[in-house]
Amino acid sequence: MAVLLVALLLPALASAQLRIEIVDGVEGAMPIAVAPFAWDSDMPEPATSVSEIISANLHRSGLFDPMDEAQMIDRPTRPPEVGFGTWRLLKVDHLVIGRVTDAPDGVGYEIEYHLLDVHTGRILLSQALPVGPGDLRFGAHRVTDAVYERLIGVPGAFATRIAYVVVTDQDGDDELFELVVADADGHNPQTIVRNTQPILSPSWSPDGRKLAYVSFATGRSNVIVQDLYTGQNRNVSSDRGINGAPAFSPDGRKLAVSLSRGGSPDIWVIDLENDRREQLTQHWTIATEPAWAPESGRIFFTSDRAGRPQIYSMRSDGSDVQRETREGRYNARPSFGLDDRHLAVVWSDGDNDFRIAIHDRETDRLRVLSDGRLDESPSFAPNGSMVLYATRQNGRGVLAAVSADGRVRQRLVLSEGDVREPAWSPIIR
């Protein structure tokens, strides 16, 4: 089970929690009820219950309209207790019920839950999920993932994590940079690294165990790989010039980076097992921001070789270079989600406004999703449902998220500090 051991290794480095605001949701969202789960454990019940977390997750997706607990006439915890007629009168389509008990082996808990179709009376999902002693919130996210997938047909991403950089002003002119990892709903933030020098471009390994990022702690750029479970870190690139934009390969064995050791920045691949390096691009213009396509393994990158920044792709050996984007005067910072078809980018039509867009590689069409002026650093959710990005609000950096169809919008705000450089983790198994 995925638990951030960094929380134990660095207990003093807890960071402020992100507050999520729903800006826009889907009109006619699916009516659903999550009845209060029974607490059948000898341990004290947490302040926020499992059912409250599930309900909040579903609401945050923008696709569901969970019923307020105060409006519930019945509060069943097992299928035989459900009076479907009552719930039909309340105009609920689906009902989630359950209970939390002590695990059979005495270690941790077991979350028993059921998803029911109110109109047919069918049980759509029924499971007993074991969770560790400190993993009730994570368990609630996993329950939400299962409910979401059963009703929407796409894997949920509630049990994932996000990484981001927080910049706060210190005494004098100094700034403090913190690399933070939190649950996808903003809870359980933990500072992984803090320094008075910039931290940039966090990137997740496919198994969610490691983060690669750029650090200027030595006074120049270095690419670092940090193990979130052991706390160990490794400097994988500290060449003269630029060491930037790390991206893990789909199998986690290699890291694509942008290095300027030969002059202009080019795309290189570093084998993390033997440190062997291979230069993939050799061009006098800039090549940076590599991203691996999850299905084909092609490497996408930003280059201005046609005069303005656009997205290009190539095979993992550097051959077969193709231009991918043509709509707009500026396309940069590619990010993939579930498949190779949809590519999130920073887009501009040359009016000095930078927005988040999705390029559909199958239709060669581009759809602008955000409406800010300085939107940047898009990161696709691993299920392809939403794009997380950085933007500006009231003069400071915040995170925002928008659904892939543009209908659901969220804002993630800290009480203080600039938030930037978000990266959404893979789905945690």
Side-chain angles (χ1 to χ4, degrees):
M1 185 171 296
V3 180
L4 262 186
L5 297 190
V6 165
L8 301 178
L9 294 167
L10 303 176
L13 298 188
S15 185
Q17 182 175 301
L18 288 168
R19 183 183 75 256
I20 297 182
E21 303 170 352
I22 308 298
V23 180
D24 288 308
V26 175
E27 186 176 350
M30 189 182 301
I32 192 170
V34 184
F37 280 30
W39 183 260
D40 295 330
S41 169
D42 293 333
M43 298 298 291
E45 187 171 3
T48 304
S49 68
V50 167
S51 52
E52 288 174 320
I53 296 170
I54 297 170
S55 183
N57 283 340
L58 293 173
H59 173 64
R60 185 164 50 87
S61 75
L63 302 179
F64 295 91
D65 183 17
M67 174 180 283
D68 191 302
E69 184 180 319
Q71 298 176 342
M72 297 180 189
I73 300 173
D74 291 337
R75 300 186 180 190
T77 61
R78 303 170 189 262
E81 301 171 1
V82 177
F84 289 101
T86 299
W87 294 100
R88 283 193 286 269
L89 287 173
L90 294 172
K91 298 183 179 180
V92 170
D93 288 347
H94 297 93
L95 175 66
V96 181
I97 60 175
R99 62 194 185 109
V100 179
T101 63
D102 292 321
D105 61 3
V107 180
Y109 304 95
E110 187 172 81
I111 303 175
E112 176 191 315
Y113 67 96
H114 312 273
L115 170 65
L116 302 100
D117 186 316
V118 170
H119 298 288
T120 66
R122 291 174 53 222
I123 299 176
L124 303 180
L125 198 60
S126 187
Q127 187 179 12
L129 176 70
V131 297
D135 289 344
L136 265 178
R137 176 171 285 273
F138 180 72
H141 293 324
R142 290 185 60 193
V143 172
T144 317
D145 282 343
V147 170
Y148 183 94
E149 183 169 9
R150 182 65 179 83
L151 296 179
I152 304 299
V154 176
F158 301 99
T160 57
R161 292 171 284 175
I162 56 176
Y164 51 92
V165 175
V166 179
V167 184
T168 52
D169 292 327
Q170 303 298 296
D171 294 336
D173 297 327
D174 290 338
E175 291 181 319
L176 180 66
F177 295 81
E178 296 178 272
L179 176 59
V180 179
V181 170
D183 294 348
D185 62 356
H187 284 262
N188 298 325
Q190 296 293 326
T191 296
I192 307 306
V193 180
R194 58 168 41 149
N195 203 285
T196 55
Q197 300 301 315
I199 298 170
L200 305 171
S201 306
S203 173
W204 288 91
S205 64
D207 60 4
R209 291 185 59 95
K210 297 175 182 178
L211 274 176
Y213 61 94
V214 177
S215 169
F216 283 80
T218 63
R220 64 178 187 175
S221 60
N222 297 270
V223 175
I224 309 295
V225 173
Q226 177 89 33
D227 191 311
L228 300 180
Y229 284 71
T230 66
Q232 296 179 336
N233 63 61
R234 173 186 170 194
N235 190 333
V236 298
S237 184
S238 56
D239 293 343
R240 60 183 175 85
I242 295 171
N243 298 269
F248 282 96
S249 62
D251 62 8
R253 297 179 179 177
K254 297 179 179 180
L255 201 66
V257 295
S258 179
L259 306 179
S260 65
R261 59 192 301 184
S264 296
D266 276 302
I267 305 300
W268 291 67
V269 169
I270 302 173
D271 189 313
L272 295 174
E273 294 181 356
N274 56 30
D275 202 37
R276 185 176 298 129
R277 294 159 187 247
E278 181 181 4
Q279 184 175 357
L280 301 189
T281 64
Q282 299 185 47
H283 203 277
W284 59 270
T285 58
I286 292 172
T288 187
E289 300 172 342
W292 300 73
E295 295 175 325
S296 66
R298 289 181 69 88
I299 297 176
F300 288 62
F301 61 98
T302 305
S303 174
D304 62 353
R305 61 185 60 192
R308 297 180 183 277
Q310 296 291 338
I311 305 300
Y312 294 79
S313 73
M314 59 186 168
R315 293 194 180 116
S316 58
D317 62 0
S319 64
D320 188 31
V321 177
Q322 300 178 11
R323 180 169 171 176
E324 295 284 339
T325 56
R326 299 182 184 277
E327 188 173 343
R329 295 165 65 87
Y330 180 101
N331 286 279
R333 196 71 179 259
S335 172
F336 284 99
L338 190 62
D339 54 37
D340 284 14
R341 176 174 175 176
H342 297 103
L343 185 68
V345 298
V346 178
W347 173 89
S348 177
D349 203 24
D351 56 2
N352 293 323
D353 288 344
F354 295 88
R355 297 185 174 136
I356 305 304
I358 289 182
H359 172 67
D360 187 324
R361 298 182 59 234
E362 190 170 292
T363 64
D364 201 28
R365 298 295 299 274
L366 184 138
R367 182 171 66 255
V368 178
L369 299 180
S370 69
D371 55 6
R373 299 199 61 186
L374 292 172
D375 301 336
E376 59 184 10
S377 304
S379 180
F380 242 125
N383 65 355
S385 64
M386 301 197 80
V387 179
L388 184 68
Y389 62 97
T391 187
R392 305 291 295 179
Q393 181 185 22
N394 299 326
R396 68 188 185 98
V398 300
L399 301 186
V402 59
S403 60
D405 60 12
R407 296 190 296 168
V408 180
R409 299 175 187 274
Q410 303 170 6
R411 191 176 297 114
L412 298 81
V413 184
L414 276 179
S415 57
E416 60 179 16
D418 276 2
V419 192
R420 57 186 72 164
E421 303 277 344
W424 210 317
S425 84
I427 291 175
I428 307 298
R429 300 296 183 185

